């Protein structure tokens, strides 16, 4: 039976819709896929060889082309501002132009599905207007992977490579974009990403370390261990990255990560990460109001509130990440370059207790 593909659009405007989403097929698809990918990398290292199908190789070539576009689009002179560099919009437009042809090269992809997939793909690189990035954009990349899996561009045997090769390649490219264009942290609250931008590298990274015989979560405070393990494990690579651009101790600028380091085992860290992702990303209206529903990840909940109702409480009717989702905050890269003052913290207040006990 053929699928009637459609361009994904936003559907959620109210807390009632969010509640319905959390018991929907799409929500279960996302959480189940995270758990499948999570299980596939337990004990796996980034440097381990694993099978790469034609689909995985094609995706990696596609991602290489995206990084090439970034290198071909240098930042413009913008010394007067510590906020996002306008050249990001040129990069974004190039990705948008090239996306259809990039998807045409993916083996076995039904080209009728390409417009649906390219929507998630394009949104995964950041917001063009606000020049920001956060865990909602990271979620779009995960949705893109789900679509590729559903359409059999990749198979179950590719799951380990999807995390250690494809997803990690995406994170590496995002670091290039964040440092090149000084992308602002979307939302600016610091609770929806464990660093200023990301969540999933810590989730999958803690899965890699499950059952490790020697390394414990508190090892993130030892610079030599962090440096040594950053080559093999996402979690330690992310800690090394944070330390490279922020002054003072991890305890001061990343209190949530510091709290998590007191957990005794990686098993507890990993299970807590999954719970936190469900609560702080998939369970938050300022994030999920931007979620895009199509034919592969459909919306099944109640209709949105009327325009009058949407202005009375929890409705979030705006384009991009509006002021209700946080005021603009300079990127850590901009702050680090401008002034490396001990005690500066970009994450902001609002850190909540985390579910690791």
């Amino acid at each position: 039976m053929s699928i009637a593909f459609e361009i994904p659009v936003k559907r959620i405007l109210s807390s009632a819709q969010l509640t319905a989403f959390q018991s929907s097929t799409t929500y279960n698809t996302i959480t189940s896929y995270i758990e499948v990918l999570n299980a596939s990398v337990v004990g796996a290292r980034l440097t381990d060889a694993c099978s790469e199908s034609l689909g995985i190789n094609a995706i990696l070539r596609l991602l290489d082309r995206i990084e090439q576009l970034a290198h071909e689009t240098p930042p413009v002179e913008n010394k007067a501002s510590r906020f996002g560099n306008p050249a990001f919009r040129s990069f974004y437009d190039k990705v948008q132009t090239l996306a259809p042809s990039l998807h045409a090269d993916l083996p076995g992809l039904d080209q009728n599905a390409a417009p649906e997939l390219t929507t998630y793909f394009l949104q995964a690189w950041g917001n063009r207007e606000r020049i920001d990035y956060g865990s909602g954009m990271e979620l779009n990349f995960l949705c893109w992977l789900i679509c590729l899996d559903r359409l059999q561009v990749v198979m179950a045997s590719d799951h380990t490579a999807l995390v250690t090769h494809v997803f990690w390649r995406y994170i590496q490219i995002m670091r290039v974009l964040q440092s090149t264009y000084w992308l602002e942290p979307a939302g600016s609250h610091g609770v929806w990403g464990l660093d200023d931008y990301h969540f999933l590298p810590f989730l999958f990274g803690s899965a890699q370390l499950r059952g490790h015989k020697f390394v414990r979560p508190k090892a993130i405070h030892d610079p030599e261990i962090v440096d040594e393990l950053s080559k093999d494990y996402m979690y330690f690579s992310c800690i090394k990255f944070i330390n490279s651009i922020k002054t003072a101790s991890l305890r001061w600028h990343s209190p949530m990560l510091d709290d998590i380091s007191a957990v005794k085992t990686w098993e507890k860290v990993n299970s807590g990460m999954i719970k936190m992702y469900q609560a702080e990303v998939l369970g938050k209206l300022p994030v999920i109001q931007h979620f895009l529903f199509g034919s592969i990840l459909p919306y099944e909940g109640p209709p949105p509130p009327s325009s009058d109702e949407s202005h009375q409480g929890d409705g979030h009717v705006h384009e991009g990440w509006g002021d209700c989702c946080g005021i603009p905050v300079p990127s850590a890269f901009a702050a680090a370059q401008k002034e490396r003052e001990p005690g500066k913290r970009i994450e902001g207040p609002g850190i909540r207790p985390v579910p690791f006990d």
Side-chain angles (χ1 to χ4, degrees), residues 60-77:
L60 291 172
R61 287 194 299 272
L62 180 155
L63 294 177
D64 287 343
R65 184 69 183 101
I66 297 300
E67 184 175 14
Q68 184 183 352
L69 287 179
H71 293 309
E72 293 171 357
T73 315
V76 299
E77 189 66 28

Side-chain angles (χ1 to χ4, degrees), residues 138-214:
E138 182 185 74
L139 176 57
N140 278 314
F141 189 80
L142 179 72
C143 291
W144 185 66
L145 296 181
I146 291 173
C147 292
L148 292 175
D149 206 322
R150 283 286 184 90
L151 297 172
Q152 299 185 327
V153 174
V154 294
M155 308 299 175
S157 58
D158 292 321
H159 285 158
T160 301
L162 272 179
V163 179
T164 61
H165 294 185
V166 171
F167 179 76
W168 187 237
R169 185 78 183 94
Y170 165 69
I171 295 298
Q172 291 173 313
I173 296 170
M174 283 312 312
R175 296 306 192 197
V176 172
L177 301 184
Q178 291 152 10
S179 60
T180 299
Y181 303 119
W182 290 4
L183 301 183
E184 299 165 27
S188 77
H189 298 295
V191 292
W192 299 307
L194 288 166
D195 61 14
D196 282 341
Y197 302 107
H198 293 288
F199 197 116
L200 288 175
F202 294 95
L203 190 156
F204 295 138
S206 61
Q208 288 181 280
L209 290 155
R210 289 184 68 139
H212 199 289
K213 292 182 179 179
F214 308 110

